[in-house]
Amino acid sequence: MYFLGMDGGGTGCRAILSDSDGQILGEGRAGPANMASDFEGARGNIMRAAEQALAGRDPGRVRAVLGLAGSNFSGMGARMEAALPFRARVVQDVTTSVRGALGQADGIVAAIGTGSVCARQLGGQIRTIGGWGLRLGDEASGAWIGRALLMRATRMLDGYIPPTPLLAQTAGELGGAPGIVTFSLRATPAEYAALAPRVLAAEATDAAAAHVLDAARAEIRAAILILQPREAPLPVTWIGGLGPALALADWPMQSPLGTSLDGALLMAREESTWQT
């Protein structure tokens, strides 16, 4: 028996294959795997990454867990499972991220990158907050921070707040009010998120940057407070491109044990994954 772990989202997907002893046998990479926006494209990329990892091995001897972004809302997980030539379980990417970061231990994971989601693992059960996407949420994410920066810039242009170097520079680069509007009408979450590093870099010297990041941390704090049990607080593991930079010292911190890909492979090897 072979075990395949995969993770995927809007920018790409990865695969890793092991044998029954946990020895890594192969790896693969391919393009985006967003089922909601392009099911057939996602399936094709998943297969390309899987085939690289399998390297000619029999897919009939494979058990695979796929952690795919947005799978909880797209309703397409079962369809994807049926469309693959190996036995598969499709779960949220946050589920595999939690398992990779915490293993079987109790704790909270704050995953903050282009998007954002927080999750608690307690007694083997996972509860999540967020992951709604930029249109409905993704508070404190890179995309959310970038959009918040442009919202502060429009308030500066309207005269609500005084100019700051960061706001003036950003507005100027985009071409003023017309350019900001044009950008907002076409920008993807990743393009908004590309503005986040400049906000982080200016936090100590720019009032607008400090305002945006104070708001981001307040959102993170609110989410984690919902997840924290009333008894002894759980440690928080900060992952994603922005997780460590936005980490709060309110609770004990814990380093991640592994990645989302590690979590998917761990789940694929667990017999409990295949009992339902």
Side-chain angles (χ1 to χ4, degrees):
M1 182 67 67
Y2 301 113
F3 301 95
L4 186 67
M6 298 191 68
D7 68 0
T11 58
C13 61
R14 303 176 298 164
I16 188 169
L17 183 77
S18 82
D19 61 16
S20 298
D21 296 325
Q23 181 177 350
I24 303 303
L25 303 175
E27 299 181 17
R29 290 178 178 270
N34 189 321
M35 295 185 297
S37 62
D38 182 1
F39 181 89
E40 287 303 324
R43 187 187 67 81
N45 284 324
I46 287 168
M47 283 304 306
R48 276 185 279 277
E51 287 167 356
Q52 291 173 30
L54 286 169
R57 296 179 179 88
D58 181 6
R61 298 180 59 197
V62 171
R63 288 181 174 181
V65 168
L66 290 69
L68 301 180
S71 63
N72 55 322
F73 299 127
S74 69
M76 295 182 182
R79 179 183 170 193
M80 182 63 73
E81 291 171 359
L84 298 173
F86 40 76
R87 192 176 180 190
R89 291 283 185 271
V90 174
V91 300
Q92 287 180 264
D93 59 337
V94 66
T95 301
T96 53
S97 292
V98 168
R99 292 306 303 277
L102 301 180
Q104 300 280 7
D106 294 342
I108 291 172
V109 172
I112 307 170
T114 299
S116 67
V117 62
C118 294
R120 179 186 70 199
Q121 183 167 263
L122 185 61
Q125 301 297 311
I126 295 177
R127 180 190 175 187
T128 65
I129 290 179
W132 293 97
L134 183 60
R135 290 181 182 274
L136 297 176
D138 273 1
E139 292 86 356
S141 68
W144 185 93
I145 288 170
R147 186 181 64 182
L149 171 64
L150 296 190
M151 291 172 68
R152 296 299 290 175
T154 62
R155 292 186 68 79
M156 174 194 73
L157 294 172
D158 279 339
Y160 285 103
I161 60 174
T164 72
L166 176 62
L167 294 180
Q169 177 187 1
T170 303
E173 289 178 1
L174 291 176
I180 291 174
V181 172
T182 300
F183 179 88
S184 73
L185 294 175
R186 63 164 177 78
T188 64
E191 288 172 323
Y192 274 118
L195 298 171
R198 67 175 64 192
V199 182
L200 289 163
E203 180 178 15
T205 59
D206 192 279
H211 177 92
V212 169
L213 294 177
D214 283 348
R217 293 190 177 97
E219 293 286 355
I220 297 169
R221 183 176 286 108
I224 294 177
L225 283 172
I226 292 173
L227 294 173
Q228 282 288 6
R230 294 184 178 180
E231 302 79 26
L234 294 171
V236 181
T237 299
W238 303 86
I239 64 174
L242 296 179
L246 294 174
L248 302 170
D250 303 45
W251 306 278
M253 294 186 192
Q254 181 172 296
S255 298
L257 299 176
T259 67
S260 174
L261 196 58
D262 296 323
L265 185 59
L266 177 65
M267 292 179 66
R269 297 182 62 205
E270 292 174 349
E271 193 60 36
S272 59
T273 301
W274 310 103
Q275 290 176 351
T276 57

